[in-house]
Amino acid sequence: MSRDDGDDGNSAYGRKAFKRSKAHFADRITADGRDGWPVEAGRYRLVVSRACPWASRSLVSRRLLGLEDALSLAVADPIQDDRSWRFTLDEDGRDPVLGIRYLSEAYDARETGCPGGVSVPAIVDVPSGELVTNDYQQLTLDLATEWTALHREGAPELYPDRLRDEIDEVMTDVYEDVNNGVYRAGFAHTQEDYEAACASVFRRLERLAERLERQRYLVGDTITEADIRLFTTLVRFDAVYHGHFKCNRWKLTENQVLWGYARDLYQTPGFGDTVDFDHIKRHYYQVHTGINPTRVVPLGPDLSGWLTPHHREELGGRPFGDGTPPGPVRPEERVPAAHTPGTD
C-alpha cells in the first residue's frame, strides 16, 4: 500500500481516477542470488504496516513458514504523514535495526525520487540500508519457494508445484475483482466507476462463496497462497470496506459461507494473530481524508464473532497438509490484547 496510490497524496483519494501503481523495485531475493540478492538469514528486514492488506500477506506467510529468525520485522505507524510510512511506534521514532525514521529513506538510498510512491510491504538490505523490493505480488511467492532452506520444520507448502496453475488463476480473479476491486470502488470519483467496481466485487465474492460452499480452501485441501490473499481483504471487509469504501451490498457476516471461511482462517495460527483491527481502522479512516475528511473513526463493528465456531472442518481438509501449525507468537510481535477480537 502506497501513500501515493492516489498520486497527489491523501486528499486526492476519491477525487480522480484510481490506478494502482506497479511495484517499481522488482528485484527478487532468491536461493541462487541471480538478482544480486541471495537468501541469507539475518541480512534483510521486512517492513510492513498491519493496516495494509498487501503487507499483511507477508506477515501471514512469514509466520506460517517460520521465518521469524531469518527475516526480521519492522512495523510502521498506521498513520502516515507527508513522507509516508514512519517508525513512530519505535523508541525515538527510529527503526532500531535500520536506524531510519521513514521508510522513504531506504527508498532514497536505492534510488532518489523513484516513481510509484513509498509502499509496503518492502524488504530492505540491512548492511547497505537500501530497499531491495516492494513487489507485493512476487514477494510472498518467493518466501514460499526461494526461502525453503530457512523454513521451519513442518512448514506448509503455500505454493505447491502441482497446483500453481490453478492457484494463479484463482489469485488473478481475486486480485482484480476483490483485493483491488474494493479500492476501485472506494476511490471511484464518478457514480459509473463506483457502480461498476462495486458490482464486480460482489459478483466475484458470490462466485467464491459457491466454490467454498463445497470445499474448505480455495485450491486443494490445504491452505495456499490463494487463501492468504483472499483472507487479507475479507478480514477488513466489515471494518472498513463495507462503510468507508461503500462496498455495502451486504456485510461479510451476512454471507454464511464466506463468514465461516474467514473465521476458519482467522482462528488458524498464523492468520488472526497477525491482525490488528485498531491499526486497520485508524489507517483507513484517518489517512484517506479525500473520502473521510473528518477523520472520525467508527466504533464498530463488533469483533467478538471472529472467535465463534465456524464448523468448516466438516468439509475436511488439512490446514497445514503434512506439516504442523506455527508456534506461539513472539512477545515482541504480539498484537496488543486491547485490539484483538472479543476484548473491545
Side-chain angles (χ1 to χ4, degrees):
M1 183 183 291
S2 166
R3 196 193 71 85
D4 291 336
D5 279 342
D7 293 333
D8 292 323
N10 301 336
S11 63
Y13 291 124
R15 297 183 180 179
K16 59 193 302 182
F18 172 74
K19 183 178 180 180
R20 183 167 300 284
S21 301
K22 292 184 178 180
H24 180 64
F25 298 99
D27 286 5
R28 295 174 61 189
I29 301 170
T30 58
D32 62 6
R34 56 185 175 273
D35 284 355
W37 307 105
V39 171
E40 183 179 333
R43 175 172 175 176
Y44 306 102
R45 190 155 174 83
L46 174 65
V47 182
V48 304
S49 164
R50 293 190 187 275
C52 169
W54 319 99
S56 291
R57 295 177 180 178
S58 59
L59 279 171
V60 175
S61 296
R62 173 178 174 269
R63 177 144 159 67
L64 292 177
L65 298 171
L67 290 171
E68 292 95 332
D69 285 331
L71 180 62
S72 65
L73 181 67
V75 179
D77 192 317
I79 308 302
Q80 302 158 306
D81 66 13
D82 289 339
R83 292 188 63 181
S84 195
W85 299 109
R86 53 187 183 165
F87 297 109
T88 48
L89 301 180
D90 294 300
E91 187 176 356
D92 298 326
R94 290 185 183 274
D95 179 78
V97 173
L98 300 173
I100 58 177
R101 294 186 181 277
Y102 294 90
L103 178 57
S104 61
E105 295 175 56
Y107 275 69
D108 289 340
R110 174 75 183 273
E111 179 183 333
T112 303
C114 62
V118 178
S119 64
V120 290
I123 293 184
V124 179
D125 178 50
V126 175
S128 67
E130 294 183 2
L131 181 80
V132 177
T133 180
N134 68 342
D135 190 347
Y136 61 94
Q137 296 284 50
Q138 186 63 43
L139 191 155
T140 49
L141 298 180
D142 284 341
L143 292 182
T145 60
E146 297 289 340
W147 289 64
T148 53
L150 300 175
H151 288 180
R152 66 178 176 85
E153 184 177 356
E157 282 192 88
L158 298 177
Y159 195 49
D161 279 323
R162 67 189 183 281
L163 297 176
R164 286 185 188 178
D165 288 345
E166 186 177 359
I167 292 172
D168 289 344
E169 181 180 1
V170 171
M171 291 194 306
T172 296
D173 291 338
V174 167
Y175 169 79
E176 182 62 32
D177 294 333
V178 181
N179 299 149
N180 202 45
V182 293
Y183 283 85
R184 290 189 292 109
F187 294 149
H189 73 303
T190 69
Q191 186 71 28
E192 183 180 18
D193 288 347
Y194 159 72
E195 289 185 8
C198 188
S200 294
V201 169
F202 285 95
R203 185 164 53 246
R204 181 61 59 189
L205 288 176
E206 286 163 359
R207 290 176 183 171
L208 290 168
E210 291 174 2
R211 183 186 188 98
L212 290 165
E213 190 172 17
R214 60 183 183 270
Q215 60 191 63
R216 189 172 180 184
Y217 304 111
L218 283 173
V219 182
D221 66 351
T222 64
I223 291 165
T224 68
E225 175 78 14
D227 297 296
I228 295 172
R229 295 190 181 196
L230 180 56
F231 172 79
T232 57
T233 295
L234 293 184
V235 80
R236 289 162 172 76
F237 203 86
D238 288 4
V240 289
Y241 300 145
H242 180 272
H244 185 57
F245 278 179
K246 307 181 187 71
C247 294
N248 61 358
R249 284 186 57 195
W250 38 263
K251 295 179 181 178
L252 177 66
T253 55
E254 294 169 349
N255 185 293
Q256 182 178 357
V257 174
L258 292 180
W259 177 223
Y261 168 78
R263 296 198 324 275
D264 186 5
L265 291 177
Y266 185 87
Q267 295 171 31
T268 299
F271 284 83
D273 49 32
T274 68
V275 175
D276 190 323
F277 283 105
D278 174 71
H279 279 208
I280 290 168
K281 288 169 57 176
R282 287 195 293 122
H283 171 79
Y284 281 89
Y285 284 101
Q286 295 188 325
V287 171
H288 299 161
T289 55
I291 56 177
N292 187 40
T294 66
R295 302 180 79 239
V296 171
V297 180
L299 293 176
D302 177 15
L303 302 175
S304 59
W306 283 99
L307 297 178
T308 59
H310 52 76
H311 306 295
R312 293 282 295 178
E313 66 277 2
E314 295 172 7
L315 292 171
R318 302 172 300 150
F320 302 100
D322 294 328
T324 58
V329 180
R330 297 183 175 194
E332 67 273 15
E333 296 188 11
R334 193 172 295 148
V335 176
H339 305 320
T340 55
T343 61
D344 285 9

